[in-house]
Amino acid sequence: MSVGADSTFDTVLVVDFGAQYAQLIARRVREAHVHSEIVPSTMPVEEMLAKKPKAIILSGGPSSVYAEGAPNVGAELFETGVPTFGICYGFQAMTRALGGTVDKTDLSEFGRTELNVVAEDSLLFAGLPTEQLVWMSHGDSVIEAPRGFRAVATTTGAPVAAFEDTDRRLFGVQFHPEVLHSEHGQEVLRRFLYEGAGCRPTWTMVNIVDEQVDRVREQIGDKRAICGLSGGVDSAVAGALVQRAVGDQLTCVFVDHGLLRKGEAEQVEKDFVAITGARLKVVDAEERFLTALSGVTDPEEKRKIIGREFIRVFEQAAREVVAESGEDGSEVEFLVQGTLYPDVVESGGGTGTANIKSHHNVGGLPDDLQFTLVEPLRELFKDEVRKVGEELGLPPEMVWRQPFPGPGLGIRIIGEVTRERLDVLREADAIAREELSRAGLDREIWQCPVVLLADVRSVGVQGDGRTYGHPVVLRPVSSEDAMTADWSRVPYDVLAKISNRITNEVREINRVTLDVTSKPPGTIEWE
């Protein structure tokens, strides 16, 4: 999605200096109903300006501005007339570029810190408490603001904790307004967006749907498209949106690759068609996928194999769609995918960050792809996609179902994927989802992958006999957008029911464990 000058949206560029919170900044901007896009700090200024941003935000980062090889920003960025807001490292980089002083003090600040507002008429803090708690994470501090700026807030360890140059519309803060621990952080960010930069709060679900429908119509024209349905919310929303845009020019292809959750294939075949009226072609490809995955244990290789096989199946399905329609020469040119912004970011796309893992629809596509991709959700976070789904009229049970990876249960089996192992995992997964739903935890828990440690066995006892079965791992997590996550504190009685049922009803499993790792350092999925 590229938002230009004639768009109904203003765009804010978030310049990523390697911050753990860059995606969170983008999210907070969107919560203020302003469109945001993350770009790497290595992007030349002229390329940033070519995107016609209404404002620019400089993110935090792990480096010291004085460290060798640390990313910097040139003074020319601040001569463009584009309102700019520096956060943490971005604040210090702005200071240094404009001639201010950044240095180490005797007091670093990490975590909750008391901020004192010293200019009550400041644009960022007017009307807010003069003493407020903010979230800090810095060793260096701004000692002296650049010429033309005035300091508007201070802390014990940061003589200049915030500054403003309202004439040039340049602002900065040492703390992180994007994290919830900063009491008035979102309000400070809104002050910059609305009053400092003049952004319009027009990034709404209605406008997103309308604009994406128009873009899809323009991209596809009178051509034909197929959409790969996976059973998850992302592909369902993408398919419903494109269906609204081009109608019968779209055929949805549901590939039953044998890696789905229990009952999923039946739900897709029945519910999605009934709600959207879309054409649906079902392809039974279980044997093909299991053959391709035979003997494979490396998670990246699994992902790439599954992605490759998906595309090959789609290509064959496209040929069949044309043949079945009887329209000579009417080729399928477009493939619709439910790619989301976190998929792009984690696959190293768009930010200059490292590749964490290949997603089947980002890093796992073959080089000789025969389709042009249509990705109407590519710049949306999961919660935004759910809202788009509601706007499109999809039912709650489809919109609010737990996220499910495109590679399916294939990446929830640690070890080789076999039909027998899939059957075991499917039963355990169904029990966990049923008990969480019964406990009313569906919307509190982002998702709860169940992971089968297929290459591990543990000793157990069932009845009077010794067992040597597989362990499974429950991975309940809470998150806003999957960029960060914490393990969910599921009530003990619910965990006990899940464990008892799995070990009693799935004979191949004799041990249930709980993953209590946050993201970072772990990812939500194990593979």
Side-chain angles (χ1 to χ4, degrees):
M1 188 190 311
S2 177
V3 182
D6 59 346
S7 170
T8 55
F9 310 122
D10 291 329
T11 293
V12 173
L13 297 184
V14 178
V15 180
D16 184 5
F17 286 100
Q20 60 176 319
Y21 296 135
Q23 291 78 30
L24 186 54
I25 297 171
R27 176 186 171 82
R28 297 302 181 217
V29 172
R30 294 177 188 220
E31 287 179 352
H33 302 295
V34 179
H35 177 260
S36 62
E37 179 181 347
I38 299 175
V39 298
S41 61
T42 53
M43 178 178 284
V45 171
E46 57 268 23
E47 290 186 23
M48 295 183 191
L49 296 181
K51 293 179 175 289
K52 304 185 185 303
K54 187 71 172 179
I56 293 174
I57 296 178
L58 308 179
S59 84
S63 303
S64 164
V65 290
Y66 293 110
E68 183 177 353
N72 280 306
V73 58
E76 67 272 15
L77 175 64
F78 309 108
E79 299 168 358
T80 63
V82 178
T84 303
F85 184 49
I87 294 175
C88 193
Y89 182 92
F91 172 61
Q92 295 177 6
M94 178 190 293
T95 300
R96 192 179 185 205
L98 294 174
T101 303
V102 180
D103 205 350
K104 290 188 180 296
T105 64
D106 294 332
L107 181 60
S108 300
E109 293 175 314
F110 297 95
R112 283 190 174 89
T113 304
E114 185 172 295
L115 179 83
N116 294 300
V117 178
V118 296
E120 296 183 20
D121 62 340
S122 78
L123 184 145
L124 296 178
F125 297 100
L128 298 179
T130 56
E131 295 182 357
Q132 53 187 272
L133 292 177
V134 297
W135 190 260
M136 287 284 200
S137 181
H138 70 103
D140 299 341
S141 297
V142 175
I143 305 301
E144 182 180 358
R147 183 185 300 274
F149 287 79
R150 67 166 179 161
V152 296
T154 185
T155 67
T156 302
V160 181
F163 59 40
E164 301 177 356
D165 182 340
T166 54
D167 291 337
R168 290 187 289 174
R169 297 191 294 176
L170 302 176
F171 308 84
V173 296
Q174 181 61 68
F175 61 93
H176 288 276
E178 71 274 19
V179 304
L180 295 177
H181 303 300
S182 292
E183 290 180 321
H184 302 281
Q186 184 66 4
E187 179 59 31
V188 170
L189 186 58
R190 280 197 293 261
R191 299 280 180 89
F192 166 70
L193 294 172
Y194 300 157
E195 300 173 33
C199 293
R200 300 167 296 167
T202 56
W203 179 250
T204 67
M205 288 307 114
V206 174
N207 287 340
I208 291 170
V209 171
D210 290 345
E211 176 143 319
Q212 283 309 302
V213 165
D214 290 342
R215 289 179 183 274
V216 169
R217 284 177 181 154
E218 181 179 354
Q219 181 181 6
I220 295 179
D222 60 356
K223 306 297 183 182
R224 306 186 67 189
I226 59 174
C227 173
L229 292 179
S230 67
V233 62
D234 305 337
S235 63
V237 172
L241 195 152
V242 175
Q243 166 70 16
R244 176 174 291 190
V246 300
D248 287 345
Q249 292 168 238
L250 173 72
T251 298
C252 291
V253 177
F254 174 58
V255 177
D256 186 354
H257 49 26
L259 308 175
L260 299 170
R261 293 173 287 195
K262 187 175 182 179
E264 200 150 41
E266 295 79 6
Q267 184 181 58
V268 171
E269 291 186 51
K270 182 184 68 174
D271 295 347
F272 184 79
V273 174
I275 294 160
T276 65
R279 292 180 176 179
L280 179 66
K281 181 179 180 62
V282 179
V283 181
D284 182 358
E286 179 180 16
E287 195 64 41
R288 174 174 182 157
F289 277 80
L290 290 179
T291 299
L293 290 168
S294 178
V296 178
T297 59
D298 179 76
E300 275 294 279
E301 189 176 353
K302 285 183 189 178
R303 286 178 177 271
K304 292 185 187 304
I305 287 172
I306 294 169
R308 182 193 68 215
E309 294 302 318
F310 254 109
I311 295 302
R312 296 304 174 231
V313 171
F314 286 145
E315 289 170 346
Q316 177 60 35
R319 290 189 288 268
E320 294 174 2
V321 167
V322 173
E324 292 165 2
S325 69
E327 300 176 18
D328 294 337
S330 180
E331 295 184 357
V332 176
E333 295 188 15
F334 296 95
L335 170 61
V336 179
Q337 292 199 139
T339 309
L340 305 192
Y341 203 22
D343 300 340
V344 177
V345 172
E346 285 199 333
S347 297
T351 67
T353 55
N355 184 335
I356 297 173
K357 59 186 176 183
S358 295
H359 290 258
H360 73 289
N361 52 356
V362 181
L365 297 175
D367 295 333
D368 58 344
L369 181 67
Q370 297 179 17
F371 300 111
T372 298
L373 295 180
V374 178
E375 299 175 306
L377 312 177
R378 186 179 175 86
E379 289 197 357
L380 300 183
F381 290 100
K382 178 73 76 172
D383 62 319
E384 293 173 321
V385 171
R386 295 191 195 280
K387 293 175 183 176
V388 170
E390 291 178 330
E391 185 64 29
L392 290 168
L394 296 180
E397 56 269 23
M398 184 174 290
V399 170
W400 288 97
R401 69 181 313 175
Q402 286 188 14
F404 189 58
L409 298 180
I411 59 168
R412 293 183 180 176
I413 294 176
I414 308 303
E416 182 184 7
V417 178
T418 67
R419 182 177 282 105
E420 293 72 25
R421 290 174 172 183
L422 284 166
D423 288 341
V424 169
L425 179 55
R426 239 187 298 273
E427 293 301 321
D429 173 82
I431 290 170
R433 287 188 291 124
E434 182 179 328
E435 290 300 332
L436 290 173
S437 180
R438 185 175 293 167
L441 298 175
D442 283 343
R443 297 202 182 188
E444 291 184 29
I445 295 175
W446 177 264
Q447 67 185 115
C448 182
V450 178
V451 182
L452 177 65
L453 305 185
D455 288 342
V456 177
R457 287 182 179 271
S458 64
V459 174
V461 57
Q462 290 172 309
D464 294 324
R466 175 183 184 276
T467 63
Y468 198 47
H470 296 292
V472 293
V473 181
L474 303 181
R475 174 70 167 137
V477 296
S478 300
S479 180
E480 289 184 310
D481 49 37
M483 297 309 307
T484 60
D486 193 13
W487 65 279
S488 300
R489 276 60 169 178
V490 178
Y492 289 153
D493 61 331
V494 177
L495 290 174
K497 287 179 183 178
I498 293 173
S499 178
N500 289 339
R501 283 195 60 193
I502 289 176
T503 53
N504 286 334
E505 298 175 30
V506 188
R507 300 296 296 177
E508 296 85 352
I509 297 173
N510 67 355
R511 194 176 298 268
V512 177
T513 65
L514 180 67
D515 184 345
V516 294
T517 311
S518 62
K519 175 187 179 181
T523 55
I524 293 177
E525 299 289 345
W526 272 45
E527 291 200 338

